[in-house]
Amino acid sequence: MLYKTSLQKPHPRRFKTGITVLLMAMSGIVFAIEKPQLVFEQISVAQGLSQSIVGQILQDTRGYLWFGTEDGLNIYDGYGFTVLRTEPTDPYSLSYNQVTALFEDRSGIIWVGTFNGGLNRYILKKNRFMRYRHTVWDITSLSNDYIYCIDQDRRGNLWVGTDNGLNQISPQDHLDLPVVFVRYLHNPADSTSISDKHVRAIAVDSTGNIWFGTDQGLNLLTPEQAGKDHSAFVHFRHDPQDCHTLSHDTVRTLYVDRAGTLWIGTVNGLNRLVMVENKPAFFQRYIHDPRDPYSLSNNHIYAILEDEEGYMWLGTDGGGLNRFDPKTEKFISYRNDPQNPNSLSRNEIRSLYQDHSGLLWVGTYGGGVNKVNTQRKDFKHYTTNPDDPNSLNQAIVWGIYQDQDSVLWIGTHGGGLNKFDRRRNLYTHYKADRDDPFSLSHDIIRVVIPDYEGKLWIGTHGGGICRFDPVYEKFTRYLHQSQNPNSLAHNEIRSLFLDTDSVLWIGTQGGGLDLLDTRNLEITGARFQHYRHDPADSNSICSDYIRYVYKDHSGIYWIGTQGGGLDRWDRSSGEITHFRHDPEDPYSISSNYIFSIYEDSKARLWLATWGGGLNKYDRKTGKFTYYSTKDGLPNDAIYGILEDRGGNLWFASNNGLTRFDPQTENCKNYNIRDGLQSNEFNGGSYFQSKSGEMFFGGINGFNSFFPDQIKNNQYIPPIVIVNFRKMNKEVRFDRPVSEVTHLRLSHRDYIFSFEF
């Protein structure tokens, strides 16, 4: 016998780490763990899934995903479903509609276990099933028609766990011959037989050991014992007196990670088998602790999976999805949020699978299947949490600025000004107070910029502008006064720009452009210079609705307006040049609504427009080149432009975020599935720090990211032909069209098409 049934006790030194953690907890020290924000795409009956309980998931070698439900077997190609069900008159159809096990063996054969219909082998080239059932009088038949699990050992043997014992199929070159099942049944009188008749899980480790999970503990069959007339199973059971034994005898799932470690999911916690000198030593338990937010969320484990980054994912029965970090031994849970359509569809998880591209698929009990990209952690998402006062207090974000102390200043739509100390993870909220003249003047903040003295200038939607002193936390208000011609022209602000002479350029919504010399304001007072549109003066600004002001490297000011086009203002000469859209001129600006102006590292001028996409201005020719959805942009409403260190432009739109390469003119578009706050962003809501980090705000908070950390998925999916038509009529074959190797066409078949 290679192994002893009693497990070795761990060395006392192993407890030192646990004592340290306990002492930290007793001293009140709390270490926050950043929770990656995941976007779950829910796929349910509405999208074509045959039934909402998904207990089994598999991706075959061709790339198709298979979902086992309680009403049919679903084959998913990423676009639609093909549902396979039992047909009473067809002996080659699926034997039973409730699928309980899925497995693809090394030769590419897919095996399907059912609730009460035995085992099925899918023959792809013939598009039919071979059925294997329990026969009372035949001891070489399947031992029971209720299949729990299927796996294959290193020698090619297929193992099938049923409701009445274990079955083995030896490798065969011609499976069309009668299949002989070798049974391993529970015998209460034989201590070396399998410990229980209900065999629910199978796993093969890196040394060839075969592990079986039952309702009465864990069983081990060594390679030397497998296949013998009398195979001796080693049993591992729960012992209430020993915390290093299995946490419960009812085993739901087994998983072997890349390091060869066996993980055991039971109805009472997760277990990790610790091996010493290639022999089982003891079990390390992970149990839900209501006092520990980083413990397992629920003790009933149905599914276990290790992803490509080494994290363990656990599907629980009521506690949602858990991510376990083996390095920190901390759990992070993801649950259904009825208010968030991008959350997990249900908290009862039945199956987990990571496909060839790295996407995680989560099968639920009653919520269909969920698709989530766990690797997309590049876009950090910050939004409001009604249950957490230490969060953003309003989801709609307009203005963003980060100072040198890593403090973010965020202008919101109704929540006032938010100060977010990223190092301390602490929010401070500043709101308007009628009784306090030194408070914020209005709770809708459209723009936040710094001045050269460390103070902030804040443009509001209806409350004019404020100058904020972060040291004394006081606001100085500047508002329109109808009796004072030197006051602010309008209280609705859309843009602020501070030039090198400390002159503040203020774009208003209907009041034109104001200039304010910010030097010595306490002594001289605020005197605003007004510039308005005058239809009779061609040298006036083109509109009183100012969206953006920018000064380029040569000292020229560019003014983007809402509906009036673009102005080029040479202050040294006083000359203003207008650029407006001309439908007859393809080289004119594409839209008169300018949201943002940006000069890149090569001194090219770029314009973000509403409805006209992205514009590039050529100073030499005076011509504009524009890029729209026809060129790959996701939307023609562009809100803000930034440039990364590689020369790529990043801009937000009404349909996601785009990285644009000016050299190749190629676009890479990102949307809410990549972790964006929403597909809808807001005008003027963007900022880039000195470290290169970018910020874009929208209707559901804001995102931050470093552009060089945004990595594209390099997986290239296979191309599969799924349909063939002649003369616009589908051609039926006796097998899947992807398996058809020859097509014969005549000269009459001059119209034909493929679907792939």
Side-chain angles (χ1 to χ4, degrees), residues 137-311:
W137 50 264
D138 185 0
I139 61 172
T140 66
S141 69
L142 195 64
S143 64
N144 190 273
D145 282 337
Y146 188 166
I147 311 298
Y148 285 117
C149 51
I150 310 168
D151 208 335
Q152 190 172 28
D153 66 23
R154 298 176 70 179
R155 297 178 179 178
N157 297 302
L158 203 69
W159 297 85
V160 183
T162 75
D163 201 45
N164 184 32
L166 181 66
N167 297 255
Q168 178 197 354
I169 306 173
S170 299
Q172 298 182 45
D173 295 330
H174 305 287
L175 283 176
D176 287 334
L177 297 174
V179 172
V180 175
F181 291 88
V182 178
R183 300 177 180 179
Y184 300 84
L185 304 179
H186 170 62
N187 182 357
D190 183 358
S191 61
T192 64
S193 71
I194 195 163
S195 62
D196 188 68
K197 70 175 184 177
H198 304 291
V199 182
R200 296 184 179 272
I202 307 172
V204 182
D205 68 21
S206 56
T207 64
N209 292 324
I210 312 171
W211 300 86
F212 304 97
T214 74
D215 282 359
Q216 294 296 324
L218 179 67
N219 290 248
L220 167 64
L221 195 60
T222 67
E224 293 78 12
Q225 287 292 325
K228 287 190 174 183
D229 292 337
H230 182 79
S231 295
F233 291 83
V234 182
H235 305 158
F236 301 89
R237 303 290 295 271
H238 169 66
D239 181 353
Q241 306 302 319
D242 188 349
C243 64
H244 300 293
T245 59
L246 203 62
S247 62
H248 198 277
D249 279 337
T250 302
V251 177
R252 286 290 189 188
T253 185
L254 298 173
Y255 188 84
V256 177
D257 65 21
R258 288 192 297 273
T261 301
L262 179 67
W263 298 82
I264 306 101
T266 75
V267 298
N268 188 37
L270 175 70
N271 298 255
R272 179 171 68 93
L273 177 59
V274 178
M275 306 284 285
V276 175
E277 296 180 353
N278 292 325
K279 295 182 180 180
F282 65 95
F283 292 93
Q284 183 174 358
R285 299 178 181 177
Y286 301 92
I287 306 293
H288 171 65
D289 182 354
R291 300 166 299 176
D292 182 2
Y294 300 116
S295 70
L296 184 65
S297 66
N298 184 283
N299 285 332
H300 198 149
I301 310 297
Y302 263 102
I304 305 173
L305 173 76
E306 181 188 25
D307 68 18
E308 294 176 350
E309 298 177 284
Y311 292 110

Side-chain angles (χ1 to χ4, degrees), residues 535-579:
D537 183 2
S538 62
N539 205 45
S540 67
I541 59 175
C542 63
S543 173
D544 286 336
Y545 293 83
I546 310 299
R547 294 293 311 200
Y548 202 81
V549 179
Y550 179 75
K551 183 180 181 181
D552 69 17
H553 72 284
S554 62
I556 299 297
Y557 290 85
W558 298 85
I559 303 167
T561 72
Q562 181 176 322
L566 175 70
D567 282 347
R568 177 187 184 275
W569 189 359
D570 187 342
R571 290 201 75 195
S572 61
S573 66
E575 181 183 0
I576 296 179
T577 305
H578 307 301
F579 299 91

Side-chain angles (χ1 to χ4, degrees), residues 353-382:
Y353 194 89
Q354 187 171 36
D355 69 19
H356 303 156
S357 69
L359 294 175
L360 178 65
W361 297 82
V362 185
T364 72
Y365 188 88
V369 67
N370 296 249
K371 180 175 70 173
V372 59
N373 187 348
T374 63
Q375 299 170 322
R376 178 64 66 189
K377 305 179 184 67
D378 309 314
F379 296 103
K380 291 185 178 179
H381 179 203
Y382 301 88

Side-chain angles (χ1 to χ4, degrees), residues 321-341:
L321 179 67
N322 284 239
R323 192 195 79 172
F324 176 68
D325 187 342
K327 296 178 181 178
T328 63
E329 296 198 330
K330 299 291 184 182
F331 293 84
I332 295 174
S333 64
Y334 296 88
R335 304 177 190 238
N336 170 256
D337 179 359
Q339 306 302 319
N340 182 5

Side-chain angles (χ1 to χ4, degrees), residues 91-111:
Y92 296 108
S93 65
L94 187 67
S95 64
Y96 200 83
N97 285 335
Q98 185 170 343
V99 176
T100 53
L102 280 175
F103 183 76
E104 183 178 28
D105 67 22
R106 294 186 198 122
S107 61
I109 296 174
I110 293 179
W111 299 83

